Amino acid sequence: MTVSSAPGKLYLFGEHAVVYGEPAVGCAIDRRARVTVERRDDDRLQVEARDLTLDGFTVEYSGGANDQLDVNVPTPLVEAAMGYVDGAVEQAREAAGAPDAGLDLIVESEIPLGAGLSSSAAVIVATIDAAARELGVDLPAEEIADRAYRVEHGVQDGQASRTDTFCSTVGGAVRVEGDDCERIDDIPDLPLVVGYDGGAGDTGELVAGVRALREEYDFAADTVGAIGDVVRRGERALAEDDVEEIGRLMDFNHGLLSAIGVSSRSLDAMVWAAREADALGAKLTGAGGGGCIVALDETPGAQTALRYTPGCEDAFRAGLDRDGVRAEG
Ligand code: PMV
């Protein structure tokens, strides 16, 4: 039996614009997906998913990778998560030269699904690592990140940047620009607070919406370019440990994301609640449309204010996780 875990992540700066070649900065957080894998004697896959929604459930799945799952999956989000597991297993089997290996998997996660905290990347990365090791191959980080990206890219119809899968693999803070991915080593411990509205946005739809706006209006394209400028200033502020400037730039980034139509009433309400509680800055994280915001706050103020904000289902402090994917057994 082999167990691996991988962290979720949030975007400090640059989501959506990264799809058009602008840089983005992501940051792994101390909420993880954990995948347990055990080799079977036959060629079947059986996946048991726990904590992916509020109710645990079991998915019985037989057949090779890429087969459709037609079982009692309770929500489209969990169904999507199973698609990621399927793709990740296929990658691990290919890497191990064992295309017909049967596996039992248990997937557990502390990361809300589809809410901008890269739950899917964490599940993919942990699955590839655990399944490959169970099949006798220890994959280097670059290969795990690359294979995980291929899975996400495939499932999301090409609408994925490398940020989530790279960040979940290597941990810490990362900078991504096109295919160039690097870890940012000198990152301060930022006082991050996450607010979660209990919902999720449709990444494909949101990305398509931004693409259409960019094609229709030059000023929308300029807005996407301006997000890139904010990211570059953000990188400088991170290098200088200038937490106040990081907060101001997060506010600016949120405004620009709002302008290209990816915020929502509940995300805006949480952003404003955090700001009014004197957070240094706040923005949505990920695709938007619903899900999570991230605020920068050294005091308990933002977290408390978020707890009393209508539409906010959960608020928690998120530590930077400097570990990426790791063996748990
Ligand atoms: O909501 P998430 O974590 O899937 O983030 C999507 C962010 C985008 O920039 C819109 C796409 C991407 O893969 O970076």
Side-chain angles (χ1 to χ4, degrees), residues 2 10 17 30 43 84-85 90 99 101-102 114 133 155 176 186 192 201 273 284 297 326:
T2 310
L10 46 79
D30 51 3
D43 64 354
Y84 291 119
V85 172
E90 189 187 6
R133 287 193 301 115
V155 177
V176 171
D186 262 350
L192 303 171
L284 68 84
D297 190 14
R326 68 176 181 229

Side-chain angles (χ1 to χ4, degrees), residues 9-11 14-19 24 84 114-121 149 152 156 159-164 201-204 206-207 210 262 285-288 290:
K9 76 135 229 325
L10 46 79
Y11 268 106
E15 54 273 88
H16 283 285
V18 70
V19 174
Y84 291 119
L117 298 181
S118 304
S119 52
S120 52
Y149 171 66
E152 208 168 58
Q156 290 176 198
Q159 317 252 39
S161 73
R162 290 182 179 270
T163 321
D164 296 9
D202 181 328
T203 303
L206 290 152
V207 171
V210 173
V262 298
T285 171

